[in-house]
Amino acid sequence: MLFIDGKKISDDIKAELRQRVAFHKLHIGKVPGLSVIIVGNNAASQVYVRNKAKACIDVGMNSEIIQLSADTTEAQLLGSIAELNGSPNVDGILVQQPLPKQIDDYHVTLAIAPEKDVDGFHPENVGKLVIGKLNDGFISCTPYGVIELLRRYKIETAGKHCVIVGRSNIVGKPMANLMMQKLDFMNSTVTVCHSATPDLSTYTKQADILIAAIGKAHLITAAMVKPGAVVIDVGMNSVPDASKKSGQRLTGDVDFEAVKNIASAITPVPGGVGPMTIAMLLSNTLKSFEQQNKLR
Ligand code: NDP
């Protein structure tokens, strides 16, 4: 069984990015900058945003956290985004989810300039992904991270049956669109399952590559996996664990301990897809910087 080590691959990617950032600093005296807007005081979001900022600093990029109060209006938030859209020092903009009720997520997605939309959520970037213009736009970071794992472990995907469980706009749908592209480490036959799929295991048992993006701890059991399948677990679920100081631990959508005995390759949680998401966010920010400075 191949253990797909997302922590190691994300460290490799960060080392590559660090070198390129240092090169640009030396040659044009500028480094990429990521601005993250957070509205309100959601504790988990605060941790995610801090981790993103730390990762930027770690590779030599600039990062800025813009903290807005929980009662910020949609117009105020759109005003802050417009300022960042126009700032030459900002290459990537992201607005941390979830947003307070008074703000419409879709309006926020539309407001971010597509050329700075390093999350890849703007319809222009989603459209480029669907039509296969992957180099032109930005690919949503989590599915992009999964592709990068497949690529770096040289996992054969062409003509394989890839079953994706989950159809969210941030993971399942872009993942399906990527896996069906006529490109290396994609080019699969794709099936997408969701909560209305009857008898989920009928589909998961056919998967050569099974990607779980559900948000339900250990929903995918060994009985649902074909022997020899490649299993990618996107899920991040907090479950009670009395042995931990916090009283909880992070676990995936896949029953790792049982499934690892039958899979040919598997990602762990934590240490699988999670660290790749941040690495691809940094990679998208560097890409935006290079595009805006006409370096690519
Ligand atoms: P969503 O809740 O937006 O989507 C979950 C999807 O799973 C939906 O399409 C839903 O179906 C489907 N689903 C739910 N229950 C079942 C079921 N019993 N059988 C089949 N399908 C089901 O979640 P996200 O896509 O945002 O995230 C999925 C998981 O990935 C979460 O654990 C999240 O924390 C994690 N995640 C991890 C990231 C990382 O960096 N590793 C980044 C982003 C997310 P329906 O559409 O019908 O409701």
Side-chain angles (χ1 to χ4, degrees):
M1 191 272 301
L2 172 67
F3 178 81
I4 301 178
D5 189 346
K7 171 76 176 67
K8 183 199 171 293
I9 299 294
S10 72
D11 285 344
D12 293 348
I13 292 172
K14 284 197 265 183
E16 293 159 18
L17 295 173
R18 198 174 293 120
Q19 276 194 356
R20 276 167 65 188
V21 170
F23 178 87
H24 293 319
K25 189 173 181 179
L26 192 66
H27 287 88
I28 61 167
K30 286 206 293 192
V31 297
L34 175 71
S35 292
V36 183
I37 301 182
I38 177 162
V39 188
N41 297 309
N42 180 304
S45 295
Q46 298 281 347
V47 174
Y48 295 146
V49 164
R50 274 202 303 272
N51 286 343
K52 288 169 187 172
K54 245 169 46 196
C56 280
I57 307 294
D58 182 37
V59 298
M61 296 184 184
N62 288 330
S63 95
E64 169 190 37
I65 298 176
I66 299 168
Q67 173 73 60
L68 302 178
S69 63
D71 60 359
T72 299
T73 64
E74 185 176 295
Q76 286 167 332
L77 175 57
L78 297 188
S80 298
I81 294 171
E83 267 180 44
L84 298 175
N85 283 343
S87 165
N89 299 324
V90 175
D91 302 292
I93 302 170
L94 65 88
V95 178
Q96 185 64 39
Q97 305 279 346
L99 289 165
K101 283 190 300 293
Q102 71 274 17
I103 298 172
D104 183 328
D105 293 4
Y106 184 56
H107 294 162
V108 172
T109 303
L110 289 179
I112 296 173
E115 65 277 12
K116 295 189 179 186
D117 169 40
V118 288
D119 255 342
F121 296 161
H122 190 285
E124 190 172 312
N125 286 316
V126 176
K128 284 178 178 172
L129 163 59
V130 173
I131 63 174
K133 294 288 175 199
L134 305 194
N135 290 333
D136 267 20
F138 293 105
I139 306 168
S140 162
C141 302
T142 301
Y144 189 13
V146 172
I147 298 293
E148 208 50 36
L149 285 177
L150 297 171
R151 190 196 316 277
R152 291 189 182 228
Y153 276 95
K154 298 190 169 53
I155 291 173
E156 185 52 73
T157 55
K160 303 286 182 192
H161 187 188
C162 175
V163 176
I164 297 162
V165 190
R167 59 172 164 189
S168 71
N169 288 332
I170 64 166
V171 190
K173 279 184 203 159
M175 194 74 251
N177 273 302
L178 280 167
M179 291 307 292
M180 73 173 72
Q181 296 298 326
K182 196 169 181 176
L183 292 168
D184 290 346
F185 303 103
M186 298 172 230
N187 212 11
S188 295
T189 302
V190 178
T191 299
V192 181
C193 302
H194 43 75
S195 68
T197 303
D199 192 11
L200 185 60
S201 67
T202 309
Y203 301 91
T204 58
K205 276 194 287 202
Q206 293 176 34
D208 301 310
I209 301 161
L210 177 61
I211 304 179
I214 311 161
K216 301 253 159 79
H218 297 190
L219 185 98
I220 305 292
T221 61
M224 297 168 77
V225 176
K226 178 164 90 172
V230 173
V231 180
I232 307 287
D233 191 352
V234 179
M236 288 203 311
N237 310 291
S238 280
V239 292
D241 184 341
S243 72
K244 300 276 175 204
K245 216 169 96 190
S246 62
Q248 51 190 22
R249 79 187 146 88
L250 199 64
T251 194
D253 289 341
V254 175
D255 180 358
F256 180 86
E257 284 308 317
V259 173
K260 74 174 200 279
N261 299 321
I262 52 170
S264 64
I266 188 166
T267 60
V269 177
V273 176
M276 292 301 291
T277 299
I278 291 195
M280 301 331 285
L281 173 67
L282 301 176
S283 172
N284 277 348
T285 304
L286 177 68
K287 176 178 177 176
S288 169
F289 171 85
E290 290 178 346
Q291 282 173 341
Q292 282 171 66
N293 289 283
K294 313 258 177 296
L295 300 167
R296 63 158 82 191

